[in-house]
Amino acid sequence: MPQQSLGHVLYIYIKISLMKRTFTFSILSLLITFFNLESSGQTGFVENKGQVVDQFGVPNSDALFVLPLAGMNVVLYQDGFSYNIFQSKEGYVPACEVIRNNTFIDAKKLKEDAKVNVYRVDIKFLNSSSPNVRSVGKLQGVKNYFTTGTPEGGVTGVNTFEKVLMEGMYPGIDVEFTYSKNKGLEYNFIVSSEGNYQDIKMKYFGFSELNLEESILKIKVKDGIELEERIPASWIKQSGEPLSFNYDVNSDVVSFRTDSEISNHSIVIDPTPNLVYASYFGGEGHDGFYDAIYDNLGNLFIAGSTGSNDNIATVGAHQTTLNGISNALLLKFNNSDNLEWCTYYGGESEDAALALEILGDYLILAGSAFSATNISTIGSFQPNLIGFKAGFVAKFSLNGELLKASYYGNGIDGFIDMKISSDDMIIACGSSQSETLAFADNGYQMINGGLVDGLITVFDENLNPTFSTFIGGEDLDALFSLSQDNLGNVYFAGSTYSEGVPVTPNAIQSTNAGSNDILLVRTDIDFNIDLISYFGSSGDESRCILNSSSNGLIMFFDAAGSNLFISPEAEQQFIYGPSDVYMCKMDNNLDIVFGGYIGGEETESIDNVLLINDEIFITGRTLSEIGISTVEAPFASIHANPEDELADVFIIKLDENFNKEWGTYFGDYSFDSSRQMLLKNGKLTLTGSSHSTVENLPEYQDSFVTSNAYQTQHGGLSDGFIARFDAVTGVRELGLDDVSWNVFPNPSSSEVNIEL
């Protein structure tokens, strides 16, 4: 049987379930064994501060945490845990029914009649050490107990936590207990390179039968009560490579076995971020944040859209009321996270601000508008809406005053991304259904090639266009992302369904390999087209985000195809789900120097990429339950329900070789998406949208905000959000032959785990 060796962190997740949930219990069951705690509000692991008592009312200090579930408590101890199952005796009538149907209550008789049967299954970790037990992810609110066995003043201020981590249960092995509404109770073993999974041995007590049937451990307590434990997933952390583990049952002792080979030869330094601030922003309608930027003073400016009438605009703002179905949104938070001003911007229809930049002392806004009013200013390049929808650019003061704005386009047009060039030109890209464009006479493609083409337009600081061009073929094309490198070259990326894109002779790929490929464009500093190319596989590729530097270009896009270029050193060389994120790096000659995937067993989609020196941060949406988060992540498990196609945000940090340093989920129980990432003063700021629908309110509205949030409650159908993470620490991977290594910044306030 293979042994655990250097460099890998192995995850073995175990999920438990009850075969039959025929349990009811009374409020009077507080008197028995380990009582079922009040389960209103957020369910989690409740710390024992003296409120847990035995059947005699004596405090049980051995119990560290209690997870209260319907019909069962899970109690955690230093050396194991137990399932305490409640089943009412035959003929039992719940106390609430007695009280509702009787005017006279005999309390003594009620107590006698309300007894329940309690069944307890204990699991002890054999030959274990004394682990360091700590709780992670404190949930909102506290509980107060005034029950049998507690002092006269009760036990107050009891906290509930998202998970409990038992560090060092065995050498190099931690045990983590987690609970979520969607997945229930899970416990997992995290086996570092120091550990050997064969050390794990669990002895079961209190069962009538213990059997392994088709990889499911079945624990029969009595007729009608049976527990199941299963291993839904195991994998190697660094590569995400799935492993096949199963139970090994020997009488009442359970261990694990695998035929997988587990070996590596590297040291990984793995710091993780900590959430220090998170807030909703929005009213009763649909609201979302699409772009954000910091100024030099640490003020945060955010652009987006809103369909809410309340909780949006501040007094004296440029536009204080919602004019249409939805308007663009622009706001400023100061460096103390206080809202200084917020304004609507738009007319009678639907408008959205999708891109935001700072140019000198001005805010530059770009997006799309269906409205014919309240967008442009007098004397602008295009003061009127021509066609059905137009792109727009707008200039605001840093105090939120509209100074100048113009439409652009004469069909169905819009800007999706925008950047300020090194010579203070405003570069915007998006899509266009116009037949011709203003200032396209000096462009590469003057006539729209088909249904929708990619659009590139350059404006001067007075919002007058100086250059414009279509990029596309006979079908649907669009440009989503742009970046300028240190040499002045400008890169654009998007997607294309066309087979007739006018590629350049130096194209990386001259034909469309599938139904939807990436569309890649490069210009020089004067916007002369240098390259137009397809990039993709026989599957579908979409939503490409890029970033550039003097060392070349990095691209991330959603990929369903499996025949893209993959580097031998890539941690993940295959697609694990229907669609993963493909990572690609090119040198200055646009030769591919790295390719690989990142993602889990379900669908991932990229939203943004941040490149800081050699550190890469990516964010997007995920439905996967594995392959995303790392050890000690602030949100180690998905909150949304993948079965309902509700996604969480993911945030992942990569080193210069595209190896995952840390990853975390972020979101509530609805659908969440991220749009922008910023790094300021060592803190990573994320902005995006948190969605809910009428059908799942309030069930999926489980707030992820912090106590210092500007807005602690979800306002409506969807809200914007701001999240800030601390301890974004530099890391690198080292070979065993290295004679020295560094952790930076130094000193660091973050917790750094060195896995040998």
Side-chain angles (χ1 to χ4, degrees):
M1 194 171 293
Q3 299 291 314
Q4 180 86 12
S5 58
L6 286 175
H8 278 314
V9 176
L10 167 70
Y11 293 79
I12 306 173
Y13 271 81
I14 300 173
K15 186 169 184 175
I16 75 106
S17 62
L18 286 171
M19 288 291 290
K20 295 185 179 180
R21 293 185 175 273
T22 58
F23 315 118
T24 55
F25 52 94
S26 162
I27 188 172
L28 296 178
S29 66
L30 292 174
L31 299 176
I32 61 175
T33 320
F34 297 103
F35 60 85
N36 191 276
L37 302 172
E38 178 61 44
S39 60
S40 61
Q42 292 179 303
T43 301
F45 297 91
V46 182
E47 61 182 345
N48 181 16
K49 296 179 67 175
Q51 79 277 10
V52 178
V53 299
D54 63 16
Q55 65 268 37
F56 304 108
V58 178
N60 188 338
S61 59
D62 291 336
L64 303 180
F65 294 87
V66 179
L67 172 67
L69 303 174
M72 181 174 71
N73 287 339
V74 181
V75 186
L76 308 187
Y77 304 93
Q78 189 83 9
D79 60 349
F81 59 101
S82 66
Y83 303 124
N84 296 297
I85 303 165
F86 304 95
Q87 186 182 47
S88 60
K89 289 186 175 179
E90 187 175 353
Y92 163 68
V93 179
C96 59
E97 293 296 325
V98 176
I99 294 172
R100 182 163 51 189
N101 297 317
N102 291 273
T103 56
F104 173 76
I105 303 299
D106 185 336
K108 181 178 180 180
K109 186 175 186 303
L110 178 62
K111 178 179 175 180
E112 293 174 350
D113 292 343
K115 290 180 179 178
V116 297
N117 291 322
V118 180
Y119 304 93
R120 173 171 162 175
V121 177
D122 288 314
I123 298 94
K124 300 292 184 183
F125 295 113
L126 294 182
N127 305 319
S128 63
S129 306
S130 296
N132 174 41
V133 181
R134 62 187 182 91
S135 51
V136 180
K138 186 169 70 174
L139 301 177
Q140 289 186 322
V142 296
K143 301 181 191 304
N144 303 315
Y145 297 93
F146 304 91
T147 54
T148 300
T150 59
E152 183 177 347
V155 176
T156 59
V158 179
N159 292 306
T160 304
F161 297 90
E162 195 172 55
K163 66 181 179 180
V164 175
L165 184 64
M166 298 184 174
E167 299 171 316
M169 182 64 73
Y170 296 97
I173 299 176
D174 301 337
V175 185
E176 182 186 58
F177 293 85
T178 66
Y179 174 81
S180 67
K181 182 187 302 182
N182 298 317
K183 297 191 293 181
L185 168 67
E186 294 181 346
Y187 66 96
N188 67 86
F189 297 93
I190 304 170
V191 185
S192 75
S193 54
E194 293 177 330
N196 184 346
Y197 69 88
Q198 294 172 323
D199 289 343
I200 303 169
K201 297 186 186 302
M202 299 180 291
K203 187 177 179 66
Y204 284 69
F205 303 85
F207 61 88
S208 63
E209 294 180 18
L210 183 65
N211 298 303
L212 184 62
E213 298 179 13
E214 296 181 352
S215 301
I216 299 174
L217 187 65
K218 295 192 174 183
I219 311 159
K220 185 176 181 180
V221 182
K222 65 177 295 288
D223 290 340
I225 300 178
E226 188 174 84
L227 292 163
E228 285 186 354
E229 293 188 345
R230 65 187 69 207
I231 307 176
S234 300
W235 69 95
I236 295 175
K237 174 202 165 193
Q238 283 89 344
S239 65
E241 176 187 347
L243 300 171
S244 177
F245 266 78
N246 204 348
Y247 293 102
D248 197 356
V249 180
N250 183 8
S251 183
D252 56 358
V253 176
V254 176
S255 55
F256 299 100
R257 57 185 169 85
T258 183
D259 294 326
S260 301
E261 180 63 32
I262 309 169
S263 61
N264 199 317
H265 300 285
S266 64
I267 297 172
V268 178
I269 304 169
D270 185 16
T272 56
N274 298 306
L275 180 68
V276 295
Y277 179 84
S279 177
Y280 292 113
F281 184 93
E284 79 288 353
H286 281 293
D287 311 300
F289 291 159
Y290 298 134
D291 203 358
I293 192 168
Y294 280 107
D295 66 10
N296 293 331
L297 300 177
N299 300 304
L300 179 63
F301 298 89
I302 302 175
S305 68
T306 175
S308 296
N309 288 287
D310 300 319
N311 301 321
I312 301 296
T314 52
V315 176
H318 160 71
Q319 181 179 322
T320 57
T321 58
L322 178 69
N323 286 332
I325 300 172
S326 63
N327 284 170
L329 174 71
L330 183 62
L331 56 88
K332 174 187 177 182
F333 280 100
N334 63 23
N335 55 18
S336 299
D337 293 314
N338 296 316
L339 181 67
E340 289 204 353
W341 55 261
C342 180
T343 183
Y344 296 99
Y345 171 53
E348 74 288 351
S349 189
E350 298 181 59
D351 315 302
L354 302 180
L356 175 65
E357 291 287 338
I358 293 178
L359 176 57
D361 295 327
Y362 306 108
L363 297 171
I364 305 298
L365 208 60
S368 61
F370 287 92
S371 295
T373 60
N374 296 321
I375 294 292
S376 64
T377 55
I378 297 174
S380 63
F381 167 76
Q382 183 179 324
N384 299 316
L385 176 68
I386 305 173
F388 190 61
K389 184 184 77 166
F392 73 80
V393 287
K395 179 189 291 188
F396 282 80
S397 72
L398 297 179
N399 294 321
E401 177 188 3
L402 178 63
L403 303 175
K404 193 168 187 178
S406 176
Y407 293 102
Y408 185 83
N410 54 71
I412 302 177
D413 308 287
F415 295 126
I416 300 172
D417 196 12
M418 178 260 299
K419 295 290 187 294
I420 305 299
S421 72
S422 55
D423 54 354
D424 291 341
M425 302 298 284
I426 302 166
I427 313 170
C429 67
S431 64
S432 174
Q433 282 187 259
S434 297
E435 292 184 3
T436 59
L437 294 170
F439 286 86
D441 52 345
N442 58 347
Y444 178 83
Q445 181 181 334
M446 294 182 288
I447 304 297
N448 194 312
L451 298 176
V452 181
D453 271 9
L455 170 66
I456 299 173
T457 305
V458 181
F459 299 87
D460 63 21
E461 58 182 341
N462 294 316
L463 309 188
N464 295 312
T466 61
F467 170 86
S468 194
T469 187
F470 295 106
I471 302 288
E474 77 288 350
D475 210 321
L476 301 174
D477 311 299
L479 296 173
F480 304 130
S481 177
L482 72 96
S483 179
Q484 186 174 37
D485 65 20
N486 296 337
L487 304 175
N489 299 309
V490 186
Y491 297 85
F492 303 85
S495 67
T496 175
Y497 285 88
S498 297
E499 297 181 358
V501 171
V503 298
T504 53
N506 60 339
I508 303 168
Q509 179 180 316
S510 58
T511 60
N512 193 328
S515 62
N516 187 15
D517 270 8
I518 298 303
L519 178 59
L520 181 62
V521 180
R522 182 173 69 178
T523 76
D524 63 17
I525 194 170
D526 296 319
F527 304 104
N528 298 306
I529 298 293
D530 174 62
L531 174 134
I532 299 176
S533 178
Y534 293 100
F535 190 98
S537 69
S538 57
D540 284 345
E541 287 79 38
S542 62
R543 187 60 191 155
C544 183
I545 305 295
L546 54 76
N547 216 314
S548 58
S549 68
S550 58
N551 296 322
L553 179 72
I554 59 173
M555 289 198 306
F556 292 75
F557 55 81
D558 306 345
S562 59
N563 56 337
L564 293 164
F565 174 82
I566 302 297
S567 301
E569 67 274 16
E571 284 189 334
Q572 181 177 329
Q573 300 193 2
F574 304 98
I575 292 180
Y576 290 151
S579 174
D580 281 354
V581 174
Y582 177 76
M583 308 180 292
C584 176
K585 181 178 181 179
M586 301 180 185
D587 61 20
N588 287 324
N589 295 320
L590 295 184
D591 293 324
I592 303 174
V593 295
F594 176 84
Y597 295 99
I598 191 165
E601 83 286 2
E602 292 291 344
T603 298
E604 277 72 45
S605 182
I606 192 71
D607 277 321
N608 216 315
V609 176
L610 179 63
L611 177 62
I612 303 293
N613 298 322
D614 292 328
E615 299 177 336
I616 306 168
F617 301 87
I618 64 173
T619 184
R621 291 152 285 160
T622 179
L623 296 173
S624 296
E625 298 184 14
I626 64 172
I628 300 297
S629 63
T630 51
V631 178
E632 298 301 307
F635 301 95
S637 58
I638 192 168
H639 283 72
N641 187 353
E643 294 180 0
D644 294 335
E645 296 187 352
L646 299 175
D648 262 11
V649 169
F650 71 79
I651 313 164
I652 292 175
K653 183 183 179 185
L654 305 167
D655 65 16
E656 60 183 344
N657 296 315
F658 293 83
N659 297 314
K660 182 165 63 174
E661 294 180 354
W662 55 255
T664 184
Y665 296 94
F666 182 73
D668 60 20
Y669 289 105
S670 62
F671 175 85
D672 306 295
S673 61
S674 54
R675 293 298 296 266
Q676 180 59 289
M677 283 188 302
L678 304 166
L679 191 62
K680 184 77 171 179
N681 298 327
K683 293 180 173 62
L684 186 69
T685 298
L686 196 73
T687 59
S689 302
S690 176
H691 298 256
S692 291
T693 65
V694 174
E695 289 79 8
N696 63 30
L697 285 174
E699 180 182 358
Y700 287 131
Q701 270 196 12
D702 185 39
S703 174
F704 52 58
V705 300
T706 53
S707 58
N708 56 343
Y710 167 78
Q711 180 179 320
T712 59
Q713 297 296 318
H714 201 291
L717 299 177
S718 65
D719 277 5
F721 74 77
I722 307 167
R724 191 173 300 119
F725 294 85
D726 202 354
V728 179
T729 309
V731 300
R732 68 188 182 99
E733 183 172 317
L734 303 151
L736 289 176
D737 295 332
D738 287 0
V739 296
S740 64
W741 48 269
N742 298 304
V743 178
F744 56 92
N746 187 13
S748 173
S749 61
S750 63
E751 179 176 339
V752 178
N753 299 315
I754 302 177
E755 297 158 357
L756 300 178

